[in-house]
Amino acid sequence: MKTAALSLIAATLAAVFPVAATAQTPEPAQGKRPNIVVILGDDLGYADLGAFGSEIKTPNIDALAREGMRFTNFYTHATSSPTRATLLTGIDTHRNGLGNMDEWTAPNQRGADGYEGYLKLGIPTLPQLLKDAGYHTYMVGKWHLGKSPELIPRARGFERDFSLLDGAGSYWDMTNFTAAAPQSVFTEDGRYLNKLPDDYYATKTYTDKMISFIDANRADGKPFFAYVAHQAPHDPFHLPKEWRNRHVGEYDKGWDAVRQARLKRQIELGILPAGTELSERMWFVPDPVVLAPASRAILGKKMELYAGMVENLDHHVGRLVDHLKKIGEYDNTIFVVFGDNGAEGTDLFKMIAGSPGSRDFLFGAINWSQTHPNAWGDPGSYVGYGPMWAQVSMTPFSQYKSWTAEGGIRNALIVSGPPVKRMKGSINHGVLHVADIMPTMLEVAGASYPKADQDKKTPALMGKSWVPLLAGKTESPRTEQDYLAWEIFGNRAVRQGEWKIRWQYKPFGSESWELYNLASDPAERKNLAAANPDKLKAMTSLWESYARENNVILPSRSVFETLEDQLPKRVSDDKGYPPLIYKQQFVPPKDMVAEPAP
Amino acid sequence: MTSSKKNRRFAQLPLAAAALFAMSGVGPAQAEVPARFYWKTLTGGSAVPLIVESISGNANPFDPSRLVSNDANFDATLAIAGYAETFSLLDRSAMAAILLPMGRISGEARAVNGASVSQSASGFGDPMLELNVNLIGPKPQNNIPDAMRYQPGFSLDLLADIAVPIGEYDNKQTLNLGQNRWYGRIGAPMTMQLGAWVPGRRTTLELLPAAWIFGDNTDFVGRKLKTDPLFQLDAHLTRDFAENIWGSLDASWYKGGKATIDGVEGSKRNDVTLGLTLGYKINDNLNLTAGYRSTVNDSAPDKMRMDSFMITFVFGWHPLIEGSRRLKQE
């Protein structure tokens, strides 16, 4: 109670006298406020951590899960920069500048408020508010929220940073993907880098830098906010040689078998209820059983690399955790670990450089043509793992990144540290959203959010604090009436309680609203729209409210507008069909076998 | 008796001159394979190697022993055609081959009576059977996934050769293609991968230490020729220049192989050869190499002096690859 009262007073003071609060926020009487470490995996799938049923070995992140809590109904956005923008502002992506990704702003969205393609200026950010509240604020890794000087991490509240401003790039050097923008852009402490440190490897260097930032300011005793926005395991799957061969041949059995094994473990762990089905295998993904061993091996090797990426990421998370233990900060640190969106099933490289004769094809030929499997992981190689393995990463959910199916937006979340008062290792099924992190951390830090102003430059926070949930006072930050909504590239969705509607471009969707009950059908196999018109109507009404309140401008052009013309006609994934290719050799009874008559 | 004295004595004997044809300058002709010859491929594959050499020097390239004539000068055109199969033996990579030398040789030599004579020979030499089994290194590539994951790392093989003395032989002259005796070799080809195993970037150091063992030729122009074991060490430093082209620095060292003719001893061999090879993968079936090598420090009359141009074609095939190609109608 005393803590809550102090927090309330502090919050009130900060709201009324924000500048004064900045300079004078005292350490709480009961001791130092907790450090905050947000660890973000890029395209990390729901089912890729051991604590969420993966065979990939992630002992360090799993240890955080054992010390803290796991959340099974945590939502991000379907793509990277919108999630990051919401994480750092706590407001809807259509209001914070990432109404669409910068790379895909539609003609009718250009110039519209909320569609700037970068984190809008003037909106309070989590690091800024924490810094104002007396925290050191550090960032390493991927930014993806703007490149000009007023938009970079230093300008948005981070005291120290080592940041990749682009959405992706080489892990080994500054090579990027297009001829028009051939170099990745990095900043360190607000300065644009003209080269990278010696011995640079993204995941390692980011960790080294974060450790150095933390150590540099330890003497003053202030808590810190560390935003560790790893590039891993986003493609290209670049990783050191010693991490490439930890799963040789393990994935030759194919994606279906791995998905089934993961689902089994998820059920055993209590992540998902017994009886949960797997989502459909995407209709254009073959049944691995009918593939030649060579095909399974070459495709399996991609997953081997991905598993190595995740394990390497876990290793470096472990280095940071170990360091915090070593310097005595671990016990006073909140860790928040999650992925920024669904796993990536789209071939990004093909999208960029797939047309022979194009400028970007030529660029790829020079810079990204190390296609031999033994070169995978090296500089100049570009390996992604395709829709089949993305579905594995998102077990048991449907589809993947960029789509508003559960496979695009639901993610694994781990929270540990002082605010967690529940039994260690517990699992919660409440509905959470990335926008909740802002109010949660502000509350934990005793900081406050400025009042919404008249011109809406400071919109109200959309998220809800998890503090009561972490303390065991509630099972979800949301009521059954609260709802969440999404829109990206024209794909959209609403979740309220156990119900969800989604609208997606064909052929992933039907270009009409579909209705699913996620409690009984988390894999979104059964569209209940026709059977529940009233529910559908009520949910679409929520969508309309959401779209209106958040200035959602459906795009006139979309990355997926021609997808239906590119993919085979959608059919259901009926197991064992057609029998023609599954029938085994007939073996007659031995006593009926005879030589031909002379 | 010192080596030089033995050598002089040997040179003074009329019969000793007959030994002048005894050996290739670059190495036993049947052993002359380019770098990367012992790289492993998919088991169940077949290959037809064709090795063509143009050789000049003071010894007979068809004879794997090592005797030198001080003033001989031969030119030879040599071809070795063969057939090889790759397979798995006790779960190790293995290759069996038969190599058949053929060609012609001519030149000025000293006959048994000491006179300088022109001799020539042509036809088929002694066919050689070869078995190479990997002892240390990756498991055999029994399927395409194995091949995909193959990297030699450090590979060490056991190589065994035996030549069958059925090649053309004329006991009236010293210059022959067949050697009229059994001989063979035990070796240990080694491949050391240096760096990434990625076409275009592969680098290897390859060594072949081996020992040649010779039976007696009991009708060497009516005499008996005995040859001591001969030690061979081949070394190749190879490097890809691009995905389909590579080069190699080659060196060979041969030591021993002292010949004795009717009890009269010759000198031991101790010669070094240096060379260069370029390799080019023409397509998935056909590989080409072209190289040149020459003895070094060979100006003394009793030293091995030999140089050769060598071109090799190796045409390989595998039912799986060929069938896939047919299905794809390539």
Side-chain angles (χ1 to χ4, degrees), chain B residues 1-303:
Chain B
M1 187 181 289
T2 65
S3 174
S4 59
K5 283 180 181 174
K6 279 195 299 186
N7 201 40
R8 277 199 300 275
R9 181 183 169 194
F10 185 84
Q12 290 163 357
L13 291 172
L15 285 179
L20 77 180
F21 305 122
M23 187 46 217
S24 150
V26 186
Q30 294 91 326
E32 290 304 317
V33 294
R36 301 190 170 187
F37 189 82
Y38 292 109
W39 280 19
K40 309 297 177 289
T41 59
L42 207 55
T43 60
S46 307
V48 174
L50 177 63
I51 302 170
V52 180
E53 286 190 83
S54 173
I55 304 169
S56 288
N58 57 2
N60 178 0
F62 288 85
D63 185 345
S65 68
R66 288 257 168 175
L67 286 176
V68 174
S69 172
N70 293 354
D71 52 2
N73 193 18
F74 298 100
D75 290 307
T77 301
L78 167 70
I80 301 172
Y83 176 78
E85 288 268 358
T86 60
F87 55 96
S88 174
L89 181 64
L90 303 175
D91 203 27
R92 306 304 306 174
S93 298
M95 183 265 289
I98 180 166
L99 300 166
L100 178 61
M102 63 198 85
R104 60 176 74 96
I105 182 169
S106 61
E108 291 291 320
R110 190 169 295 175
V112 292
N113 60 5
S116 178
V117 293
S118 292
Q119 291 189 347
S120 65
S122 61
F124 292 98
D126 299 326
M128 177 172 278
L129 305 176
E130 179 164 290
L131 176 66
N132 187 70
V133 182
N134 176 258
L135 299 179
I136 298 172
K139 295 280 188 184
Q141 302 164 59
N142 291 325
N143 49 48
I144 291 178
D146 291 344
M148 190 188 86
R149 295 191 172 107
Y150 176 80
Q151 299 195 33
F154 173 74
S155 293
L156 183 145
D157 304 346
L158 176 65
L159 172 70
D161 292 307
I162 185 159
V164 183
I166 57 174
E168 296 199 22
Y169 185 76
D170 181 354
N171 64 0
K172 295 183 181 61
Q173 66 175 32
T174 56
L175 191 60
N176 281 292
L177 279 76
Q179 301 307 312
N180 194 37
R181 59 177 172 176
W182 292 84
Y183 56 95
R185 172 173 67 163
I186 294 289
M190 286 176 251
T191 300
M192 279 162 272
Q193 173 187 338
L194 307 174
W197 197 250
V198 177
R201 290 193 272 150
R202 292 169 299 195
T203 304
T204 59
L205 175 63
E206 298 168 25
L207 300 175
L208 172 55
W212 287 86
I213 299 163
F214 304 94
D216 295 342
N217 179 357
T218 55
D219 191 10
F220 186 67
V221 201
R223 308 290 172 172
K224 182 178 181 181
L225 170 66
K226 293 170 68 76
T227 307
D228 289 350
L230 170 69
F231 174 72
Q232 167 190 5
L233 177 62
D234 285 355
H236 307 280
L237 181 63
T238 83
R239 168 71 181 171
D240 284 354
F241 299 136
E243 279 190 36
N244 293 329
I245 189 164
W246 55 274
S248 170
L249 298 174
D250 309 309
S252 297
W253 176 42
Y254 288 85
K255 185 173 174 60
K258 180 179 68 181
T260 304
I261 300 172
D262 273 358
V264 179
E265 294 181 350
S267 61
K268 289 180 181 175
R269 295 293 314 278
N270 187 3
D271 50 78
V272 173
T273 302
L274 297 179
L276 297 164
T277 302
L278 280 176
Y280 180 64
K281 179 183 172 185
I282 295 172
N283 56 40
D284 285 344
N285 295 108
L286 187 57
N287 285 279
L288 165 72
T289 73
Y292 175 76
R293 58 183 65 191
S294 175
T295 48
V296 294
N297 193 24
D298 57 1
S299 54
D302 60 339
K303 277 287 190 180

Side-chain angles (χ1 to χ4, degrees), chain A residues 275-338:
Chain A
T276 301
E277 282 186 275
L278 287 171
S279 65
E280 67 168 329
R281 183 191 333 109
M282 304 298 280
W283 67 98
F284 52 88
V285 169
D287 181 347
V289 168
V290 304
L291 289 182
S295 302
R296 289 210 302 269
I298 200 82
L299 294 169
K301 189 175 170 75
K302 296 184 176 188
M303 186 63 190
E304 292 169 21
L305 241 68
Y306 179 81
M309 295 288 293
V310 175
E311 291 182 355
N312 179 265
L313 169 67
D314 178 79
H315 166 73
H316 289 289
V317 169
R319 285 180 57 221
L320 178 60
V321 169
D322 288 347
H323 185 73
L324 294 176
K325 287 179 178 174
K326 187 177 153 193
I327 63 174
E329 294 289 351
Y330 173 79
D331 289 336
N332 193 38
T333 299
I334 306 168
F335 291 90
V336 181
V337 185
F338 62 101

Side-chain angles (χ1 to χ4, degrees), chain A residues 363-389:
Chain A
F363 182 81
I366 294 165
N367 296 285
W368 292 102
S369 57
Q370 293 298 319
T371 55
H372 191 278
N374 287 348
W376 291 357
D378 287 353
S381 65
Y382 196 113
V383 178
Y385 62 0
M388 60 292 286
W389 295 115

Side-chain angles (χ1 to χ4, degrees), chain A residues 384-568:
Chain A
Y385 62 0
M388 60 292 286
W389 295 115
Q391 282 207 282
V392 169
S393 287
M394 297 313 297
T395 302
F397 301 125
S398 174
Q399 306 177 5
Y400 38 76
K401 179 180 176 180
S402 302
W403 299 90
T404 49
E406 292 293 279
I409 57 178
R410 206 192 294 200
N411 237 296
L413 171 70
I414 294 167
V415 179
S416 71
V420 180
K421 309 296 185 195
R422 290 176 182 256
M423 190 173 69
K424 287 183 175 181
S426 60
I427 296 172
N428 177 270
H429 305 293
V431 177
L432 279 65
H433 191 269
V434 65
D436 302 340
I437 292 174
M438 177 87 157
T440 304
M441 297 308 152
L442 291 180
E443 184 175 346
V444 165
S448 62
Y449 189 77
K451 279 187 175 174
D453 55 21
Q454 291 292 333
D455 62 2
K456 294 188 177 177
K457 269 195 172 174
T458 307
L461 291 175
M462 63 171 282
K464 294 174 181 288
S465 172
W466 300 337
V467 171
L469 171 66
L470 299 174
K473 295 174 182 171
T474 180
E475 288 305 306
S476 174
R478 288 183 173 74
T479 67
E480 289 295 304
Q481 283 68 50
D482 290 335
Y483 71 94
L484 296 169
W486 296 262
E487 186 281 326
I488 185 76
F489 308 145
N491 294 326
R492 53 208 102 137
V494 176
R495 176 167 181 177
Q496 185 185 42
E498 63 191 34
W499 292 94
K500 176 181 175 183
I501 56 169
R502 75 180 199 206
W503 188 106
Q504 297 192 128
Y505 277 97
K506 290 179 180 176
F508 278 46
S510 55
E511 297 187 4
S512 62
W513 286 104
E514 300 164 8
L515 175 70
Y516 298 96
N517 185 303
L518 296 181
S520 60
D521 181 23
E524 298 171 286
R525 276 186 165 272
K526 303 174 196 74
N527 178 8
L528 303 173
N532 295 270
D534 293 342
K535 189 68 188 175
L536 182 67
K537 187 177 176 187
M539 296 282 286
T540 51
S541 162
L542 292 176
W543 161 259
E544 285 158 10
S545 298
Y546 165 78
R548 192 169 51 249
E549 289 168 13
N550 291 285
N551 188 34
V552 174
I553 303 170
L554 292 175
S556 57
R557 299 288 309 274
S558 171
V559 58
F560 298 124
E561 62 195 3
T562 61
L563 191 61
E564 191 182 17
D565 302 326
Q566 301 166 35
L567 290 175

